Amino acid sequence: MVVPSPVPLRSKKYRAAVGVPVIDLSLERSKLCESITKACEEFGFFQVENHGISSDIISRVEMEGHDFFSKPACHKQRAGPPSPFGYGCKNIGFNGDKGDLEYLLMEANPHSISERSKSISTDPTKFSCAVNDYTEAVRKLACELLEMVAEGLWVPDKYIFSDLIKDVNSDSCFRINHYPPSLNDHADNNNHWIHNNSNNNNNHSTTKSTRIGFGEHSDPQILTILRSNNVGGLQILSRDGLWIPIPPDSDKFCVFVGDAFQAMTNGRFVSVRHRAMANSVKPRTSMMYFAAPPLNACITPIPQLVSIENPCMYRPFTWGEFKTTAYALRLADHRLDLFKKQHIV
């Protein structure tokens, strides 16, 4: 989500087995609760298969996105500029962040989607029905995952997280990103492991050229559910500073822990930093559902994860306060650090 650095990225000289979790949701529930909780702790990220969302629901919204991004620029611009919702191209947010992409960003509620669709599609009813069906399906998936996490943490109220998403005033949103194909002769280096060297100004190693579609960031919400077509580009940052390419698989959904979830779990889960490269000779499309609480919801560590040994890391704040802070910062900033209690080091 940031302006690409002019410093070339350092290539790692070896590859290793990553072990990024892929979780089969058809497995027995107690095993699922344990596996999902472990994935949130160790990676802040996992993929799910056998998720139960029909191919028809997915393909309908995917086709709507394809139809929109295939339009001439003058037609697409009628749905923008994003403020923050609407159509955007290159510019991400309000603070100078850029990427090689275009996108649609919408509030994930039926009324807002219905209104927004009038400037997006020549058949607003068809567009809004497709998007609403999809967002409702992934919302249910997000809630089910959050309930299994609560069970995995042995929290008495398993709905403590999911009720925030089910709330009629939930601030969740939906985004479709479109990354145009690269014209580079050496495109598609998604299989390479790359060191994160954003602070290194003395790197003289040579690499294939890289094209940032959406730069390094974490998501501020509770949970993100992402689906992309079978084109590579997504990378997550490991705790040892290694960029890990996630193999594309349109049959799976990717799940990201967000900043708000990190705060609610008192740092037991860490919001994963990730980015999207745009080096493929094929266009890449990704769809994200950002599961967020209502603006007035209080974000604070749940009592079961606070103790003398693990004191509260973050001061209480509302989602609205945190969202305002996120919009005021560069998207690569570690925004949650601003909400840490001063005595925590």
Side-chain angles (χ1 to χ4, degrees):
M1 265 190 217
V2 296
V3 178
S5 168
V7 179
L9 298 171
R10 186 187 301 275
S11 291
K12 193 165 179 63
K13 295 181 180 179
Y14 60 87
R15 298 178 185 180
V18 181
V20 174
V22 177
I23 298 175
D24 183 349
L25 294 184
S26 67
L27 297 177
E28 191 269 329
R29 189 174 179 91
S30 63
K31 183 174 178 60
L32 283 177
C33 295
E34 179 183 349
S35 298
I36 292 170
T37 303
K38 183 178 179 182
C40 290
E41 292 173 338
E42 295 184 355
F43 289 89
F45 173 88
F46 56 95
Q47 293 177 290
V48 295
E49 57 186 3
N50 293 320
H51 43 73
I53 297 179
S54 73
S55 58
D56 175 66
I57 287 177
I58 295 170
S59 62
R60 282 168 53 217
V61 72
E62 202 169 49
M63 182 58 68
E64 292 296 329
H66 176 269
D67 289 348
F68 175 80
F69 291 118
S70 298
K71 293 179 178 179
C74 60
H75 289 194
K76 291 183 284 190
Q77 288 166 359
R78 294 172 187 168
S83 57
F85 301 107
Y87 169 72
C89 183
K90 303 288 186 181
N91 295 313
I92 304 169
F94 308 103
N95 303 305
D97 297 299
K98 294 183 181 295
D100 279 314
L101 83 162
E102 54 183 342
Y103 61 89
L104 279 172
L105 180 62
M106 294 163 275
E107 294 174 280
N109 69 73
H111 175 73
S112 178
I113 290 171
S114 178
E115 288 300 308
R116 181 70 58 181
S117 67
K118 296 174 185 177
S119 64
I120 294 174
S121 175
T122 55
D123 190 343
T125 300
K126 181 168 172 279
F127 180 91
S128 60
C129 285
V131 173
N132 281 323
D133 287 350
Y134 181 84
T135 54
E136 176 62 15
V138 291
R139 183 187 69 85
K140 289 180 179 178
L141 174 60
C143 289
E144 183 67 15
L145 294 172
L146 289 170
E147 288 161 15
M148 286 191 280
V149 165
E151 291 179 41
L153 292 172
W154 295 93
V155 177
D157 179 8
K158 76 172 186 176
Y159 303 108
I160 190 169
F161 304 126
S162 63
D163 277 349
L164 294 169
I165 312 306
K166 295 174 184 176
D167 193 297
V168 67
N169 294 312
S170 164
D171 192 47
S172 300
C173 56
F174 175 64
R175 183 181 185 115
I176 308 177
N177 287 343
H178 176 254
Y179 302 91
S182 172
L183 302 179
N184 192 314
D185 290 337
H186 300 291
D188 201 358
N189 64 347
N190 188 60
N191 292 326
H192 287 256
W193 290 54
I194 304 173
H195 270 311
N196 178 35
N197 74 321
S198 58
N199 296 319
N200 183 350
N201 293 319
N202 298 305
N203 179 15
H204 300 291
S205 64
T206 58
T207 68
K208 291 182 180 180
S209 63
T210 56
R211 181 167 164 250
I212 303 292
F214 211 111
E216 177 182 344
H217 65 287
S218 63
D219 295 332
Q221 293 86 0
I222 294 176
L223 209 67
T224 301
I225 309 290
L226 176 148
R227 183 198 179 274
S228 68
N229 59 354
N230 283 313
V231 177
L234 175 63
Q235 298 178 348
I236 64 171
L237 187 64
S238 69
R239 294 189 180 184
D240 58 358
L242 191 68
W243 283 111
I244 304 172
I246 303 301
D249 188 335
S250 60
D251 292 328
K252 297 184 178 72
F253 283 93
C254 296
V255 183
F256 303 78
V257 169
D259 295 338
F261 211 13
Q262 176 174 330
M264 295 178 74
T265 58
N266 202 32
R268 182 161 171 176
F269 299 167
V270 178
S271 56
V272 63
R273 300 186 73 78
H274 52 286
R275 67 182 183 184
M277 308 304 289
N279 297 318
S280 177
V281 295
K282 297 179 180 180
R284 179 174 181 265
T285 301
S286 60
M287 305 185 296
M288 287 73 61
Y289 173 80
F290 300 99
L295 290 172
N296 63 356
C298 183
I299 305 299
T300 188
I302 59 175
Q304 292 81 8
L305 298 181
V306 177
S307 64
I308 295 175
E309 296 79 14
N310 297 293
C312 185
M313 293 180 63
Y314 305 99
R315 68 169 179 83
F317 54 88
T318 66
W319 166 244
E321 180 186 2
F322 189 70
K323 182 179 178 180
T324 298
T325 299
Y327 277 120
L329 299 173
R330 296 298 294 269
L331 298 175
D333 290 341
H334 294 261
R335 58 186 82 88
L336 196 54
D337 288 349
L338 299 177
F339 295 82
K340 282 186 175 179
K341 287 193 171 184
Q342 295 301 312
H343 68 275
I344 300 295
V345 295

